Amino acid sequence: MAKAYQQVLPGFSAALDSVLQALPLPLRDRVGRALNDSEFPADQLDQTDLAQPAVFCLQVAAVSALRELGVKPSAVLGHSLGELAAATAAGVLDVGAAVAFVVERGKAMQACPPGRMLALACSESQARELIAGTELEIAAVNGPEACVVAGTEEEIRLLSERVDAGTFQRVLRTTRGFHSRLVDPALDALRDAVSGLTNLPATCVFASGFRAGVSEVGEVPDPVTWVDAARSEVRFGDALAALAVRFPGAVAVEIGPGRPLASLLEAADLRTAALGSLKPETSELALRTGLADLWAGGYPVALADLAPPARAVHLPAYPFAGPRHVPQVAADAPIITTAGASTGTPATGAAEAGQPAEPVMTDPATLVQTSWRELFGHENLTDSTDFFDAGGDSLLITRLVRKLNQALGIRIPVRDLLRARTLGGHVTVVAEALQKQN
């Protein structure tokens, strides 16, 4: 997880070492190897008592290194475990105390009975209908059409079989049913662990998926929050909506392994710089690209600290012709830092928030085909090409939906394209949506 950050971000390695020092020795060694050793057994990170400290230490160290580059957040938000990293970034929690609490949190969760979690591309009301009469619980409401359900492995299996074939679903990589009754045995240990925790005044706006609204600079959340938040459902979508209203046009910087939140951020009309990648081999490129996107947007990223030593070169003796492209300085525009949890969550737009593009009517087949080619960067596409087999993911399909909606002046639900999947199926969905609109 840490390799790309170590290779790209100056100061990250030192920051990570500093955070790791707060871990007890046996765990410190394991977390260090999990973050740094590519040969470390991946299945060991399915253990909550290792995964949670590892993800937390990575996020806190990355925030520290990004600050040194000039990336300073106006607001922070985290998903589940990530809320503790966000609170630390906001100055609400001392790093050492937060590490100690995360260690106890991971141990307490690991001692809970096994469970599973299922992400569904449906509304909250639809999810509640699906689980009515069962012991399953809503673990997270991540957006208008993004929910996560938690329960035992058998309960999740039965629900997965009942879900309509047209509803996109994904079993999350986790061995516990977080934010459900299955973590109740951990609550006493969490209350003991939080008893010695002192919350400090927030140094920036701090949004929460547990508390309604946002905490302003100087506010001090109740420490019991961290116990309640571990059990209650995560209302990440509500927190995102609150930040989108408070900071229109903001850029959201996602920090953590992978990019599980990027699709949710952009669906909430927040421009997104995801610093993670779905594939380990592209992690370094993704991090550099995310930082480049911030710089190109006018944010004060210290490029000199990211580039290797340079040397002067001879240029042609004639002036280059053509327009100059200089990034617009956006010193007053906010940055929102988001941190993901150790359990993933399930969907960018051409126009900035608050500045919708003018609809441009065009042939749906041509528009869909062109959009696919732009997303995937190649022409080898046929009507039977599957979006996800071609390399698509929830982030790309959200970008596709927003592009089509802006170009055509209509609203195509993400779930319709998830259901269709193929290029030909997407053309049909768009054509039918246009017919209904007319």
Side-chain angles (χ1 to χ4, degrees), residues 4 32-33 65 67 106 247 250 252 257 283 377 433:
R33 286 187 288 113
R67 284 184 188 274
F247 298 102
S283 294

Coordinates of all heavy atoms in Angstrom, one line a residue, residues 4 32-33 65 67 106 247 250 252 257 283 377 433:
A4 N 3.8 3.4 -3.5 CA 3.7 4.5 -4.4 C 3.9 5.8 -3.7 O 4.5 6.7 -4.2 CB 2.3 4.5 -5.1
G32 N 4.4 -2.5 9.4 CA 5.5 -2.0 8.6 C 5.7 -2.9 7.4 O 5.8 -2.5 6.2
R33 N 5.7 -4.2 7.6 CA 5.9 -5.2 6.5 C 4.7 -5.2 5.6 O 4.8 -5.3 4.4 CB 6.1 -6.6 7.1 CG 7.5 -6.7 7.7 CD 7.9 -8.2 8.1 NE 7.1 -8.6 9.3 CZ 6.2 -9.5 9.3 NH1 5.8 -10.1 8.2 NH2 5.6 -9.8 10.4
A65 N 2.5 14.4 4.5 CA 3.3 14.6 3.3 C 2.7 15.6 2.3 O 3.4 16.4 1.7 CB 3.7 13.3 2.7
R67 N 0.6 17.9 3.0 CA 0.6 19.3 3.5 C 1.9 20.0 3.2 O 2.0 21.1 2.9 CB 0.4 19.2 5.1 CG -1.0 19.0 5.5 CD -1.1 19.1 7.0 NE -2.4 18.7 7.6 CZ -3.4 19.5 7.7 NH1 -3.3 20.8 7.3 NH2 -4.6 19.1 8.2
G106 N -9.3 -2.2 16.2 CA -9.1 -3.3 15.3 C -9.1 -4.6 16.0 O -9.7 -5.6 15.6
F247 N -19.1 23.8 0.0 CA -18.0 24.2 -0.8 C -18.2 23.9 -2.3 O -17.7 22.9 -2.8 CB -16.7 23.4 -0.3 CG -16.3 23.7 1.1 CD1 -16.6 22.8 2.1 CD2 -15.6 24.8 1.4 CE1 -16.2 23.0 3.4 CE2 -15.2 25.1 2.7 CZ -15.5 24.2 3.7
A250 N -15.6 22.6 -5.1 CA -14.4 22.1 -4.4 C -13.8 20.9 -5.1 O -14.4 20.2 -5.9 CB -14.8 21.7 -3.0
A252 N -12.1 17.3 -4.3 CA -12.0 16.3 -3.3 C -10.7 15.4 -3.6 O -10.6 14.9 -4.6 CB -13.2 15.4 -3.2
P257 N -5.6 3.4 0.2 CA -5.4 2.4 -0.8 C -6.6 2.3 -1.8 O -7.8 2.4 -1.4 CB -5.3 1.1 0.0 CG -6.0 1.4 1.3 CD -5.9 2.9 1.5
S283 N -0.3 2.2 -9.4 CA -0.4 3.1 -8.2 C 0.4 4.3 -8.3 O -0.1 5.4 -8.0 CB -0.1 2.3 -7.0 OG -1.1 1.3 -6.7
G377 N -9.4 4.7 -24.2 CA -8.2 5.1 -24.9 C -7.9 4.2 -26.1 O -6.7 4.2 -26.5
A433 N -33.9 6.3 -23.4 CA -34.0 7.5 -22.5 C -34.4 8.8 -23.3 O -35.2 9.6 -22.9 CB -32.7 7.7 -21.7

